[in-house]
Amino acid sequence: MKKIIFAASVLFISACSQKTIDKASDPIVNHIDSTTSAGENFFLYANNNWFKNNPIHSTENSNGIFRTIQDTINSTVFAICQKAAATKDAAEGSNEQKIGDFYSSGMDTLTIEKLGVQPLQEELNQIAAIKDLNGLMQNIASLNKIGVSPLFNLFVGRDDKKSSEYAVSLYQGGIGLPDRDYYFNSDARTVNIRNEYQKHITNIFVLIGETQNNASQKTNAVFQIETALAKASRKLADTRDPYKNYNKMSVAQLSKLSKNISFENMLSIYGLKNVDSIIVGQPEFVSALGESLTKFTIVDWQAYLTWNVINNYASYLNKDFERANFNFYSTTMSGTKSQKPRYKRIVEQTDGALGELVGQIYVANYLPKGTKEKLLEIGENIRTVYADHIKTLSWMSAETKTKALSKLAKVSMKVGYPDKWKDLSSVKITRDAYLTNIKNINQWSFERSIQKYGKPVDKTEWEMTPQTYNAYYNPVDNEIVVPACNIIVPGFEGQMPDDAVLYGIIGGSTFGHEITHGFDDQGSQYDEDGNLKDWWTKQDREKFTEKTKAIVAQYSAYVVLDSMHVNGEATQGENIADLGGVVIGYEAFKKTKQGKNNEMINGLTADQRYFLAYGYAWMVNRRPENLARQIMSDVHSPSEFRVNGPVVNIDEFYKAFNIQKGDKLWRDESQRIKIW
Ligand SMILES: [Zn+2]
């Protein structure tokens, strides 16, 4: 994926002609920090003036271009929510009714406070009634139906080796911290998080009425169970090899592997029939899981399930739960100092839960005309340049090139918004039951996924909404998905940015990046039809692997927060995509009039503007806690290295900013990595 976790909205496009941007309001010029040099730290050179003038708000864990765009989107979503909430006579079941009632139910704190944990009482009672392992597994299957996933993740996805079919998959999971390493690392930061996590769990048990003593005992059980699951889990980098994480077996084999779990029973509770095989991500996890089931008592497991239910729904419960959840997950883990106003939280939760419906109104009423066409134009230009570029690669044989070109030509580009919206007509949303609304949506989502099994693959599906400021490549469909709001470039409202900016941000860091995912260490293992199947000559694959190893080494050397290193293995796919994106974006830019004629704008050469605009695409400043969390659990490198990492491999960058030997960012020409 291109970005982080955010979404976005407004823009320029107004069938307008390109006019020269006024220097005083040109973000590319204004963000430059002239107290540092491009050769010292290009990321800071491009962005630090903005960082200095825009400290991170107390209610946020980061600031920068994503935050700015998200604020724009959120204000649109807020307007949509408010309007829908004020429409009291909206037709029952209409999008307006659902959005309006959902938002209103979230704002109705009187009812939420009065209800307390009552909306989850049925689930808590069922957990309390568990008598044996069989009952435990049955309970887990029913919790899965409302979006709670203890122990593991079981879902209907795609068969990587037969992408035209859906398959049932099972993946490691069941832990409450973002990655297995949190349970074992011994540095002070992680030890503190572990301690605070246990305090938080105890807190939650006290809130549901346990004595302090019981709450401590239950916390102990939960933490021991999670530690056992974490121990059996693969490290982040080890979950990235598509072959090693594809282990197809029959349901009977799986039940045998897990010893104490009858997957036949679980599947029948799901309503899944005629399942002959399951794709298991991590067989050793399943086998360890089976053993741990009898290592802990039923009482321990009840505590674990109770924690899972409450933890999953805490942010929709009353203020005691919501605050406790915020204090741990947002403050301790990400450094956010204070909660934002309730209406802002509910706007985000409405977009999170009903984004598919919000998106329909967003596209109809708020999206500038011509957005889809402009995005497609940039995307197709990138594809054309990419093809020319592949033909010139000196390290690849003609045989592999032909296949790479064929794969590139078949990349399907979904841009703007879906042609077909998901059908939420069966979801019941009312004005007086916030948590139940969420439960209903989770249930719908689960059923929808289960019902896909055995049916033909739906290629029209989107996994993001149009107002999500992000994008993705999906290897099993060989497709990229670029939501409409990627058209937003803050600072260029009401006018078309110059091509350096369009190609630095939308061309390079969005389309170029996503297409390169089809050719990164993972994507390159899928063929043009999305099947996990080798299409490379042996020699070319070896050369490619050598190059990816160089990327791993380059990024592993980057140090964050004094002592933490970037996880070069886990982030390599993203780093390869970043490098490909900047290289191809640059070549596409050089075909525009501005690029060809090297036009100066506001004192910057065309090339300088291009690289600075790419730096702007990653203008993100995170709190240290958030940065540490990213390093441990995210496959994307921190923004500083998403900028400095690719550019130091590109000769034109050196020329544009006169980077010389002796400068901190200098790499000898022989060390500069060229892949795509
Ligand atoms: Zn990516």
Side-chain angles (χ1 to χ4, degrees), residues 232-454:
S233 296
R234 285 188 190 168
K235 282 180 168 278
L236 185 60
D238 298 331
T239 59
R240 296 190 69 263
D241 182 330
Y243 283 100
K244 284 191 186 144
N245 291 278
Y246 181 103
N247 305 278
K248 204 179 214 178
M249 55 183 82
S250 69
V251 183
Q253 274 174 316
L254 176 62
S255 293
K256 201 174 157 206
L257 180 69
S258 63
K259 292 182 197 79
N260 298 300
I261 307 173
S262 162
F263 280 95
E264 290 86 348
N265 282 352
M266 293 202 74
L267 294 175
S268 93
I269 297 172
Y270 287 158
L272 275 169
K273 291 184 192 107
N274 306 320
V275 178
D276 53 5
S277 56
I278 293 192
I279 298 166
V280 179
Q282 302 76 26
E284 74 282 13
F285 176 84
V286 176
S287 138
L289 189 67
E291 275 161 31
S292 62
L293 278 176
T294 48
K295 248 189 245 163
F296 297 95
T297 66
I298 290 296
V299 173
D300 291 340
W301 286 111
Q302 285 168 321
Y304 171 73
L305 293 189
T306 301
W307 159 247
N308 268 266
V309 171
I310 302 285
N311 192 30
N312 200 80
Y313 279 98
S315 55
Y316 311 105
L317 280 166
N318 65 24
K319 73 171 181 304
D320 290 344
F321 288 96
E322 203 207 350
R323 265 195 207 146
N325 186 64
F326 173 84
N327 287 344
F328 178 70
Y329 283 107
S330 298
T331 305
T332 305
M333 297 250 16
S334 303
T336 312
K337 307 273 181 251
S338 57
Q339 272 188 310
K340 51 183 87 164
R342 183 161 187 94
Y343 82 91
K344 288 194 174 182
R345 295 176 344 242
I346 303 305
V347 162
E348 288 177 357
Q349 291 185 343
T350 307
D351 196 31
L354 294 176
E356 189 80 6
L357 308 187
V358 171
Q360 294 173 41
I361 300 175
Y362 173 79
V363 168
N365 300 340
Y366 296 90
L367 195 66
K369 296 272 170 288
T371 294
K372 193 168 179 169
E373 292 73 14
K374 187 68 198 174
L375 285 172
L376 261 177
E377 176 197 317
I378 297 172
E380 287 301 341
N381 287 348
I382 291 289
R383 192 204 305 260
T384 305
V385 171
Y386 221 124
D388 292 343
H389 184 85
I390 288 176
K391 290 174 197 157
T392 67
L393 292 176
S394 58
W395 60 274
M396 187 182 273
S397 73
E399 196 183 336
T400 307
K401 275 183 189 176
T402 305
K403 294 199 172 135
L405 286 167
S406 173
K407 179 169 181 179
L408 175 71
K410 278 182 104 167
V411 169
S412 141
M413 285 193 197
K414 289 182 182 165
V415 170
Y417 43 88
D419 295 330
K420 193 176 99 190
W421 298 96
K422 293 183 182 116
D423 177 12
L424 277 87
S425 58
S426 64
V427 180
K428 191 167 177 244
I429 303 290
T430 64
R431 229 164 232 248
D432 57 359
Y434 193 49
L435 192 135
T436 306
N437 287 337
I438 291 282
K439 240 203 257 183
N440 290 345
I441 293 164
N442 286 346
Q443 215 150 8
W444 166 82
S445 174
F446 178 84
E447 289 302 332
R448 189 174 173 279
S449 144
I450 291 299
Q451 279 164 16
K452 284 181 190 171
Y453 190 73

Side-chain angles (χ1 to χ4, degrees), residues 522-647:
Q522 287 181 312
S524 64
Q525 301 189 60
Y526 293 78
D527 70 9
E528 58 183 44
D529 296 317
N531 292 306
L532 191 53
K533 193 171 153 194
D534 193 8
W535 49 273
W536 294 62
T537 66
K538 191 167 166 278
Q539 216 177 24
D540 287 332
R541 175 53 75 177
E542 278 167 12
K543 285 186 197 158
F544 178 72
T545 305
E546 227 169 85
K547 288 171 178 294
T548 62
K549 279 188 182 153
I551 285 280
V552 172
Q554 182 194 342
Y555 283 78
S556 298
Y558 292 135
V559 179
V560 192
L561 298 172
D562 301 332
S563 61
M564 292 181 98
H565 281 250
V566 171
N567 186 338
E569 288 283 347
T571 58
Q572 64 173 307
E574 293 299 333
N575 301 331
I576 294 166
D578 281 341
L579 178 56
V582 195
V583 168
I584 305 297
Y586 177 81
E587 289 187 17
F589 168 59
K590 292 307 271 185
K591 295 207 180 307
T592 67
K593 186 171 152 283
Q594 183 191 359
K596 239 186 294 191
N597 300 340
N598 205 9
E599 288 169 13
M600 297 270 292
I601 295 181
N602 294 336
L604 296 167
T605 67
D607 283 12
Q608 286 173 340
R609 270 188 89 79
Y610 172 80
F611 287 111
L612 286 165
Y614 176 71
Y616 185 25
W618 289 108
M619 186 182 79
V620 179
N621 188 22
R622 287 176 182 245
R623 292 188 188 278
E625 295 88 343
N626 189 15
L627 201 53
R629 178 185 177 137
Q630 181 182 16
I631 297 288
M632 285 181 72
S633 60
D634 193 338
V635 295
H636 299 85
S637 296
S639 50
E640 177 175 351
F641 306 112
R642 297 195 72 167
V643 176
N644 291 342
V647 296

Side-chain angles (χ1 to χ4, degrees), residues 93-113:
S94 64
N95 291 353
E96 284 73 16
Q97 179 264 315
K98 286 186 171 122
I99 294 167
D101 284 355
F102 185 92
Y103 177 75
S104 301
S105 70
M107 292 303 289
D108 181 4
T109 49
L110 277 180
T111 304
I112 292 170
E113 289 303 321

Side-chain angles (χ1 to χ4, degrees), residues 1-3 470-473 509-510 513-514 517 520 573-575 577-578 618 635-636 642:
M1 273 187 212
K2 171 193 175 189
K3 301 181 176 172
N470 204 334
Y472 65 90
Y473 173 77
S509 98
T510 306
H513 174 101
E514 297 307 341
H517 273 314
D520 70 14
E574 293 299 333
N575 301 331
D578 281 341
W618 289 108
V635 295
H636 299 85
R642 297 195 72 167

